[in-house]
Amino acid sequence: MKILLIMPHTNVKRSFFSKFSYPSLTLQQIAAITPREHAVEIVDERYETVNFNKNYDLIGISCLTYNSLRGYEISDVFRKQGVKVVFGGYHASLLPEEAKQHADSVVMGEAELTWPQLLKDLENGKLKPFYKADKLVEPELIPPARHDIGIYTYMEAIQASRGCPTGCEFCAMQKVEGPRFRGRLVDHIINEMKTIKSKVIFFADASLTISPSYSKSLFREMSSLNKKLHCFGNINVLSRDDELLRISSEAGVYKWYMGVESISQENINQAGKRTNKVENYEKAIKKIRDHGMNVVGFFMFGFDNDTPDTFRETLKAMYEWDLDEVSFSIVTPYPGTRLFERLEKEGRITSYDWSRYAEGTVNFKPKKMTEKELFEGIREVAAEFYSVKNCLKRSFNPRNRGPIKSIMTFGGNLTMRSFYKREKLQI
Ligand code: SF4
C-alpha cells in the first residue's frame, strides 16, 4: 500500500527559525512499525504541504488537541476521495468517539501492538473502527524511528523511554503512556542515534531523571557520539545528583528543559507535581549551569493562586535565577486530564474549540484574575523576556564562558522569540 502519515498544523507561518525545531518523531515511529512492503511518506505540516492530488491507499493522521480540527479537515478531504483515514495520537486516544466521526478507524494509545494488525485488516477488507492494545508495549519492542524519511532539520528527536510516575493534574501523559517508567535498551538507543544526521538531538521523554541509574548508563555510552543533546529533567532530582550532572555534561547534554511551572509552591502542590520544591530552584539552576549546561525553564500562568502580580514576580525570579531560556504557556484544560474534569465540574471551562488549545489562549475562568489579565499578562512577560536587548544581555554575559556558547545561547533565544512572535503568543 501507499501510506501517507501526516502531522497537521494550523496557521503555518514558516520562517528561517522553523528549521531549528525538530520534525514529528511520532510519524517516524509509526513509519518504523510499518512493514517494509508498504511505501511510506510523511508530511509534517510545519515544514511541508499535503498534496491532496496524489494517490494513497491509507492516510494516518496523528494529532494533539490544538491541531485536531485541522486533522479532521484533512481527513474529510481524503475521505471524500474514497481514501481510508486512520487517526491516532493523544487527542484521538483521549476522545476516540470524536475522532471516529472523521475517520475509518482510530488507534488508541501506543501503536506498536496494533498498527501492524490494522494494516493487515485493511488489506483483507476487515478494518475495525477502533484499535486499542490490551497492554503497554515493552520497551525492547520499540524499534528505532525512521530518521531516513522526512525533511532535514537542524535538530531531530529520539525517545529513550515512555511513562511518567508523577501524573500532574494538567498533563495527559499518564493516560496514554501509563505511570510505569519503561526505558528502551541502551544499545538500541545508541544505534538509533547513529542513524541521525543532525548534530543536535532532542530527547522526547517525560524526563530523563525518573530513573537516574538508567540515565547514567545511557549517558555513559553517548559521549563518543559527539552530539549536542536537549533533555527534559526534574530540577530537584538533577541538582542533588552530582554524578548525573557530570555524566550528562560529558555525554553532550547542552540544554536541560525543566518543568519549573510556577514560583508558587501552592500552585505546584495543587498541580500534583510533588517532585518540585520552589525554595531549591535558584541553587539548583546555578548548580546545573556550573556544570556547563543551559537551563530552560517551562512556566505556566493561570494556576488558581496566580494573581495579576504573578507576572512581574515571575519575571523577577526568571532574571534572579539566571535562566538561559524560558517557555511560557497558559494553563490549558486538555481533555483527558484531571484539570479538565475539575474545571468542568466547577463550570469554569469557557471554550471547547480545540483550535484554541495551543496554550496561548485562555479557555477557562482563572480564579484570581480576569481572562483578559491572564491573556495580556503572559504576552507582556514574553515580550520583555525575549526583547532583543534582553536576549543579547543573557547570551553574551561572561558566565556563558566563551563565544561559541554565547552564540548558541543567543540562537536559542532568537528561536524562542521568533516562535512566540510568530505563532504561540504573537507578542
Ligand atoms: S508534566 Fe511532566 S512530570 Fe508531570 S505528568 Fe506530565 S510528563 Fe510527568
Side-chain angles (χ1 to χ4, degrees):
M1 291 189 288
K2 283 190 205 131
I3 301 172
L4 174 64
L5 304 174
I6 302 171
M7 175 67 74
H9 196 67
T10 41
N11 301 324
V12 181
K13 290 176 197 140
R14 295 182 192 117
S15 79
F16 166 76
F17 291 101
S18 311
K19 284 277 174 92
F20 289 87
S21 186
Y22 55 89
S24 166
L25 176 65
T26 306
L27 299 188
Q28 293 174 327
Q29 288 177 320
I30 300 296
I33 54 168
T34 304
R36 295 300 166 105
E37 73 226 41
H38 305 294
V40 184
E41 288 173 33
I42 64 180
V43 168
D44 181 332
E45 278 202 299
R46 286 172 305 160
Y47 310 106
E48 302 150 290
T49 308
V50 177
N51 182 352
F52 290 99
N53 298 319
K54 215 166 158 182
N55 287 331
Y56 296 104
D57 300 297
L58 175 65
I59 309 294
I61 301 178
S62 175
C63 44
L64 301 169
T65 300
Y66 85 93
N67 56 2
S68 56
L69 300 189
R70 172 64 186 152
Y72 299 156
E73 203 174 271
I74 294 170
S75 167
D76 294 346
V77 175
F78 278 114
R79 290 181 85 208
K80 264 197 199 132
Q81 297 171 8
V83 185
K84 296 278 187 224
V85 177
V86 175
F87 266 95
Y90 267 60
H91 191 75
S93 296
L94 297 165
L95 295 179
E97 297 292 344
E98 177 190 294
K100 180 65 183 68
Q101 290 170 30
H102 301 269
D104 297 285
S105 183
V106 175
V107 175
M108 295 147 74
E110 296 175 326
E112 279 82 3
L113 301 178
T114 50
W115 179 251
Q117 185 60 46
L118 180 150
L119 297 177
K120 275 189 201 151
D121 289 350
L122 178 60
E123 285 184 304
N124 295 328
K126 290 180 180 165
L127 189 66
K128 296 189 191 86
F130 297 100
Y131 287 81
K132 184 171 194 260
D134 52 7
K135 58 181 180 183
L136 293 168
V137 64
E138 288 309 320
E140 59 274 15
L141 298 180
I142 301 172
R146 291 276 309 270
H147 297 279
D148 57 324
I149 53 177
I151 63 152
Y152 176 79
T153 50
Y154 162 79
M155 170 157 67
E156 279 207 59
I158 191 170
Q159 194 173 39
S161 66
R162 297 215 182 134
C164 178
T166 309
C168 302
E169 187 190 35
F170 52 79
C171 177
M173 181 173 273
Q174 266 197 354
K175 278 261 175 81
V176 178
E177 297 192 10
R180 181 167 65 94
F181 175 82
R182 289 167 291 147
R184 292 173 59 205
L185 297 178
V186 168
D187 59 334
H188 286 191
I189 299 164
I190 299 298
N191 288 337
E192 181 175 339
M193 287 175 79
K194 288 178 182 165
T195 69
I196 296 178
K197 286 197 214 106
S198 312
K199 172 92 176 152
V200 184
I201 298 180
F202 166 68
F203 276 84
D205 295 60
S207 165
L208 275 181
T209 56
I210 295 172
S211 169
S213 58
Y214 170 82
S215 297
K216 283 175 199 172
S217 58
L218 179 62
F219 286 138
R220 272 194 197 99
E221 297 299 319
M222 280 182 199
S223 34
S224 60
L225 298 180
N226 198 22
K227 297 280 188 188
K228 292 276 175 216
L229 312 171
H230 296 191
C231 318
F232 268 102
N234 180 274
I235 189 161
N236 296 109
V237 175
L238 196 59
S239 65
R240 45 171 197 261
D241 191 333
D242 287 345
E243 191 186 23
L244 182 55
L245 280 171
R246 181 179 52 77
I247 295 175
S248 59
S249 175
E250 285 166 6
V253 175
Y254 163 64
K255 274 186 197 177
W256 277 105
Y257 295 115
M258 304 285 175
V260 171
E261 318 303 359
S262 173
I263 57 167
S264 150
Q265 190 64 47
E266 253 179 303
N267 282 336
I268 287 173
N269 294 348
Q270 188 184 28
K273 199 157 195 167
R274 54 187 187 274
T275 44
N276 279 32
K277 296 283 171 265
V278 176
E279 63 191 28
N280 297 337
Y281 279 178
E282 187 170 359
K283 260 202 195 145
I285 292 165
K286 184 175 181 318
K287 197 164 177 190
I288 299 164
R289 299 190 75 262
D290 284 348
H291 279 78
M293 297 177 283
N294 277 6
V295 181
V296 184
F298 280 63
F299 287 82
M300 286 188 192
F301 293 99
F303 287 111
D304 280 358
N305 289 295
D306 284 348
T307 70
D309 295 332
T310 300
F311 301 103
R312 281 280 129 198
E313 288 164 6
T314 308
L315 195 56
K316 193 168 160 263
M318 287 167 186
Y319 293 142
E320 279 171 10
W321 296 344
D322 214 4
L323 287 161
D324 299 285
E325 288 169 44
V326 160
S327 166
F328 306 98
S329 305
I330 290 175
V331 168
T332 301
Y334 288 110
T337 60
R338 285 185 285 117
L339 179 66
F340 182 93
E341 284 166 23
R342 179 167 69 82
L343 293 184
E344 177 136 273
K345 214 187 276 167
E346 294 172 5
R348 292 169 60 193
I349 296 187
T350 52
S351 174
Y352 296 88
D353 171 354
W354 304 138
S355 64
R356 292 169 52 92
Y357 277 56
E359 300 176 349
T361 311
V362 186
N363 296 302
F364 72 105
K365 289 185 195 132
K367 210 157 195 176
K368 295 185 180 169
M369 64 179 116
T370 65
E371 287 153 80
K372 191 164 181 272
E373 280 167 333
L374 175 52
F375 183 81
E376 285 173 0
I378 188 170
R379 278 163 181 75
E380 276 168 33
V381 176
E384 183 175 330
F385 190 87
Y386 283 118
S387 71
V388 174
K389 187 175 132 223
N390 280 332
C391 292
L392 279 166
K393 203 165 126 194
R394 232 181 340 268
S395 310
F396 293 93
N397 184 322
R399 67 179 164 73
N400 276 327
R401 289 179 293 272
I404 305 249
K405 191 149 183 234
S406 291
I407 289 165
M408 283 171 78
T409 305
F410 188 54
N413 271 265
L414 287 186
T415 305
M416 295 294 266
R417 177 186 149 84
S418 149
F419 173 64
Y420 288 115
K421 271 180 84 84
R422 189 181 77 228
E423 235 169 83
K424 194 162 171 181
L425 299 173
Q426 281 115 46
I427 52 176

